[in-house]
Amino acid sequence: MNSITFNHSRLAGYATIIAATFLTGCVNQNTLAEQTLAPISNPCQKITMLANAYKTNFETLKQSEVKSRASNIWQAKYHLVGNNCKIWSFGANNATYSCNTIEVEQQSAQKYYQNAKETIQQCLGDDWRLTESKRNHDDGLKAEYVNEINDLTISTHLVPSTGVFKSKWSVYYYIGNVDR
């Protein structure tokens, strides 16, 4: 009976060592993930980080999956604006990062949209082409910065949402490839 108790004790000791090693590995991975997603305050660094993450379908930014019938959607670990950014995937190698501001009055949203366009333009190099147009399904506007070299589009949209008593506006950001 002592040999069974002794072996059981030894087995419990090994299990504790293995569990501790495993948990330490998880902690180290979480620490590394937090380090790579450190807060960034410079707008150009934010845009560069997101453009680089596009190359891997934003894998490092995917957090919890959101249930959806039409596509794969994840909450993002990193938020360009607000705290509800998402990553949408419509198949292999076809992901888009999306964020939006809260609804505000039209004048405030227009200023935000204009500032967003100017900031994006300042951050991008000469390889980017700007196209601004009306949105297809509403009275909003969109500014799309396209880089043919890396097949990437960075866009900002001014979007109306009409209510019963008054309308509000939001500004959306998309990083991905809108033509896919």
Side-chain angles (χ1 to χ4, degrees):
M1 182 118 170
N2 285 342
S3 65
I4 293 173
T5 305
F6 175 76
N7 288 340
H8 179 45
S9 297
R10 185 179 292 178
L11 183 61
Y14 290 139
T16 302
I17 291 170
I18 292 170
T21 303
F22 178 74
L23 291 174
T24 302
C26 291
V27 169
N28 288 340
Q29 285 179 341
N30 289 340
T31 302
L32 290 174
E34 288 171 9
Q35 289 173 351
T36 60
L37 297 177
I40 302 171
S41 59
N42 180 306
C44 293
Q45 289 176 333
K46 289 179 181 183
I47 291 169
T48 300
M49 188 271 295
L50 289 166
N52 288 335
Y54 168 73
K55 296 172 189 174
T56 61
N57 285 317
F58 306 101
E59 287 299 324
T60 57
L61 302 181
K62 292 177 182 175
Q63 194 168 319
S64 57
E65 192 165 1
V66 177
K67 297 202 186 270
S68 171
R69 290 183 182 175
S71 63
N72 296 319
I73 304 171
W74 293 266
Q75 291 290 343
K77 292 179 186 177
Y78 176 80
H79 303 284
L80 185 60
V81 295
N83 61 0
N84 195 25
C85 298
K86 294 192 174 41
I87 298 164
W88 300 71
S89 178
F90 300 97
N93 299 320
N94 191 8
T96 300
Y97 177 90
S98 171
C99 285
N100 67 293
T101 63
I102 58 171
E103 294 182 333
V104 295
E105 299 299 322
Q106 183 177 3
Q107 187 176 10
S108 296
Q110 286 172 329
K111 285 181 183 177
Y112 200 98
Y113 172 77
Q114 188 62 36
N115 288 339
K117 282 186 355 185
E118 291 170 6
T119 300
I120 293 168
Q121 184 67 51
Q122 290 171 1
C123 295
L124 301 178
D126 294 334
D127 296 336
W128 295 83
R129 180 178 40 86
L130 168 63
T131 304
E132 187 169 16
S133 61
K134 293 195 71 66
R135 287 173 40 91
N136 292 335
H137 303 291
D138 54 43
D139 293 330
L141 297 172
K142 65 180 175 179
E144 295 179 315
Y145 298 86
V146 178
N147 185 315
E148 303 293 335
I149 294 170
N150 61 14
D151 198 31
L152 175 62
T153 301
I154 298 174
S155 65
T156 184
H157 294 231
L158 178 62
V159 181
S161 57
T162 56
V164 176
F165 298 107
K166 64 180 176 178
S167 66
K168 296 284 187 173
W169 292 73
S170 296
V171 177
Y172 283 78
Y173 296 92
Y174 298 101
I175 297 174
N177 185 322
V178 294
D179 293 334
R180 287 188 184 175

